[in-house]
Amino acid sequence: MNLNLVILAAGKGTRMRSKLPKVLQPLAAKPLLGHVLDRAGQLNPAKITLVVGHGSDQVKQVFNSPAIRWVEQTEQLGTGHAVQQALPCIEGDDRVLILYGDVPLTRPETLEDLLSQIDAKHPLALLTINLEDPTGYGRILRDKHHCVTAIVEQKDANADQLKVNEVNTGIMAVQGQQLQAWLSRLQNNNAQGEYYLTDIIAMAVDDGFQVRTASPSSEMEVLGVNNKAQLQDLERQFQRQQAQTLMEQGVTLLDANRLDIRGEIEVGMDVELDVGVIIEGQVKLGDGVKVGAYCVLKDVEIASGTIIKPFSHLDSAKLGQNCNIGPYARIRPGTNLSDKVNIGNFVELKNAQVGVGSKVNHLSYVGDTNMGSDVNIGAGTITCNYDGVNKYKTIIGNNVFVGSDSQLIAPVTIEDGATIGAGSTITKTAPANELTLSRAKQLTLKGWQKPVKK
Ligand code: UD1
Ligand code: CA
């Protein structure tokens, strides 16, 4: 039977106090709805039906995929009403999995478990959890045989019902045919005047079905987000869990509470991450890589033994083995460092290829450059790659020495073994194995007098 994911995402999220629709709010830099789609997507659904309302244009723009069928719920009249809007996309022989766009971290294994509870004799199953504080949630009512009889919402519950700790997470699995029938019978005569999806539980019981339940492995899996405080809370829990996974893989974290992974990280053995490290996009760290405090690593691949010292920022780059980077280095997109490269403080590299053993240790800008091996770039060297309109390349051979405070005006080539005298402005090819410099001769004006105040 076809699996049909029906994801409810029409709510406004008033309490977020944001122009961004709630399901687009980021958790670990990915929209809440993105987490839902990624995780539930692992179940290989035949169809994905998204019920949208507030900010639907924005949501559609972010997730414009032909795999998604969009359903508009122009007025939010309740969760039952929301699923009613999806009915044209639901076939009688679908297995429907109802999810919320603002509950991002449910594991696919948990959803599998829930789906495995439904069959011809059990057309409805609920994901429930016991909470120490169940306030706000719909309560699961059971009879003396422990069979589910109904869900009662907080606002409709009596004092006894409010004491129930087992709550409805909102996530449920249901056979399409029964869902169609039950939805057509929904009423809104309740405390909120809404069409409650949860009313179908009592209907199922009335029709003689036993309602099964499944549970997540942790509360985090079913936490929803209604405001920025809950968003932050879930972010912290999620980050702590990711840190835990890294430690299980052998990574040394100086403080598991001060690491943020906003993407994916792959690690070798004996990797060490100091406090305040931020990982973005896809990051791959080889054996023994050490990342110092407060570094931001985005879409980088770093080979074994390389050390990134504090406060360095690396974006879209590939680094070889046993390099030394930073502190305060900035490595920008398109940079590719070979092995044993040293990049020191206040050095910016952009679209630079750097050969084995080369050093750029202090205060330099190296952009659009091909540099050979064993080069030494002196402090304050600038590759002038931009004339205000176009970008040009600087080619530096092997064993080149560039004296401090030099400008290499691209396009320009420094040939193998060349030495550039400090303070030079180089505009033409510097030939191999020669000393090239361009600076005014030093002179001293004998007897020159300092000006005096008038
Ligand atoms: C719902 C459940 C409650 C459960 C709780 C778990 C009902 C009646 N109640 O309550 O039993 O414990 O979730 O969090 O189902 N939405 C729409 N359109 C609507 C209304 C809601 O798309 O007309 C979406 C919201 O955007 C949200 C989700 O459905 O993603 C849940 O809605 P919400 O209003 O938060 O439900 P609760 O009242 O909290
Ligand atoms: Ca809610």
Side-chain angles (χ1 to χ4, degrees):
M1 274 201 310
N2 285 330
L3 173 60
N4 189 349
L5 302 181
V6 174
I7 304 175
L8 307 189
K12 189 172 181 187
T14 312
R15 283 171 286 166
M16 298 304 278
R17 297 189 178 278
S18 169
K19 283 191 181 135
L20 199 62
K22 177 157 77 170
V23 294
L24 294 184
Q25 299 281 336
L27 179 81
K30 188 195 286 184
L32 293 173
L33 182 55
H35 287 274
V36 178
L37 289 168
D38 285 355
R39 285 166 183 246
Q42 290 179 40
L43 305 174
N44 292 318
K47 305 175 212 169
I48 301 174
T49 310
L50 254 164
V51 182
V52 287
H54 284 284
S56 61
D57 289 343
Q58 268 172 287
V59 179
K60 281 180 191 168
Q61 232 170 33
V62 174
F63 295 98
N64 89 43
S65 152
I68 298 174
R69 284 167 321 153
W70 299 93
V71 173
E72 289 274 349
Q73 187 196 23
T74 38
E75 262 186 305
Q76 277 77 57
L77 303 179
T79 50
H81 181 259
V83 181
Q84 278 172 347
Q85 309 312 299
L87 274 174
C89 299
I90 296 172
E91 312 284 336
D93 59 359
D94 281 353
R95 279 187 310 156
V96 179
L97 180 61
I98 295 169
L99 301 168
Y100 291 175
D102 58 2
V103 178
L105 296 179
T106 319
R107 291 181 312 134
E109 294 82 357
T110 300
L111 298 175
E112 286 278 19
D113 182 26
L114 176 66
L115 281 166
S116 74
Q117 306 295 321
I118 61 168
D119 55 36
K121 288 190 176 143
H122 304 87
L124 175 63
L126 302 171
L127 191 68
T128 75
I129 188 170
N130 284 298
L131 295 180
E132 221 167 281
D133 178 10
T135 310
Y137 287 89
R139 308 298 205 281
I140 307 293
L141 305 184
R142 293 182 184 263
D143 63 17
K144 59 179 186 296
H145 308 294
H146 203 62
C147 291
V148 174
T149 55
I151 293 178
V152 59
E153 293 303 304
Q154 165 96 18
K155 288 185 177 145
D156 302 289
N158 63 36
D160 275 344
Q161 292 165 337
L162 288 175
K163 285 183 199 140
V164 173
N165 293 93
E166 188 186 6
V167 304
N168 174 32
T169 64
I171 295 171
M172 62 176 83
V174 50
Q175 303 282 24
Q177 202 187 332
Q178 275 83 6
L179 181 62
Q180 291 166 341
W182 293 328
L183 284 178
S184 69
R185 286 157 53 190
L186 283 183
Q187 306 274 311
N188 66 348
N189 47 357
N190 51 53
Q192 304 185 76
E194 285 183 5
Y195 296 91
Y196 290 166
L197 179 62
T198 45
D199 285 352
I200 71 171
I201 283 78
M203 292 180 193
V205 173
D206 255 9
D207 288 353
F209 295 114
Q210 194 195 342
V211 175
R212 288 175 166 168
T213 59
S215 283
S217 61
S218 74
E219 194 182 325
M220 184 176 83
E221 283 194 57
V222 294
L223 285 179
V225 173
N226 296 306
N227 56 42
K228 290 287 169 86
Q230 288 172 344
L231 182 63
Q232 189 275 163
D233 203 43
L234 201 55
E235 176 84 31
R236 287 343 305 160
Q237 289 193 44
F238 182 51
Q239 293 299 348
R240 193 65 174 82
Q241 186 195 49
Q242 294 189 118
Q244 189 66 34
T245 305
L246 276 187
M247 292 188 288
E248 282 160 15
Q249 292 169 11
V251 174
T252 300
L253 299 180
L254 277 294
D255 184 348
N257 291 317
R258 284 188 285 167
L259 166 71
D260 287 87
I261 301 172
R262 302 171 189 161
E264 268 137 49
I265 179 168
E266 211 182 296
V267 290
M269 283 179 78
D270 297 313
V271 165
E272 190 179 302
L273 305 178
D274 208 335
V275 302
V277 170
I278 298 178
I279 301 291
E280 297 176 357
Q282 309 283 326
V283 168
K284 206 173 155 184
L285 305 180
D287 293 349
V289 167
K290 289 185 168 44
V291 183
Y294 304 104
C295 287
V296 179
L297 272 51
K298 179 183 181 202
D299 294 319
V300 291
E301 198 179 321
I302 303 179
S304 59
T306 287
I307 295 181
I308 315 290
K309 293 181 186 141
F311 299 101
S312 293
H313 188 235
L314 284 66
D315 182 1
S316 307
K318 210 174 154 192
L319 280 62
Q321 297 180 16
N322 301 313
C323 295
N324 270 298
I325 310 297
Y328 302 101
R330 180 166 185 214
I331 298 193
R332 293 175 49 205
T335 295
N336 198 329
L337 308 185
S338 303
D339 298 342
K340 297 182 197 149
V341 168
N342 283 0
I343 302 297
N345 41 228
F346 307 107
V347 171
E348 175 180 352
L349 301 184
K350 187 216 76 177
N351 192 26
Q353 324 301 310
V354 180
V356 178
S358 289
K359 300 183 170 93
V360 189
N361 273 333
H362 331 268
L363 299 155
S364 288
Y365 171 69
V366 176
D368 300 316
T369 297
N370 273 346
M371 187 189 300
S373 54
D374 295 312
V375 169
N376 193 318
I377 302 287
T381 298
I382 311 284
T383 56
C384 308
N385 61 329
Y386 185 51
D387 63 7
V389 183
N390 297 303
K391 299 261 170 82
Y392 301 96
K393 282 221 98 124
T394 301
I395 311 289
I396 300 173
N398 301 319
N399 293 301
V400 164
F401 181 97
V402 177
S404 296
D405 194 27
S406 293
Q407 303 92 50
L408 310 178
I409 315 282
V412 71
T413 299
I414 316 294
E415 293 183 347
D416 288 351
T419 297
I420 305 298
S424 293
T425 301
I426 301 296
T427 56
K428 297 192 286 270
T429 298
N433 304 315
E434 306 284 1
L435 169 65
T436 300
L437 44 83
S438 78
R439 54 167 116 101
K441 282 225 161 60
Q442 180 167 334
L443 46 96
T444 302
L445 299 183
K446 279 265 155 62
W448 179 80
Q449 298 285 320
K450 283 187 184 174
V452 291
K453 203 160 180 112
K454 288 184 181 140

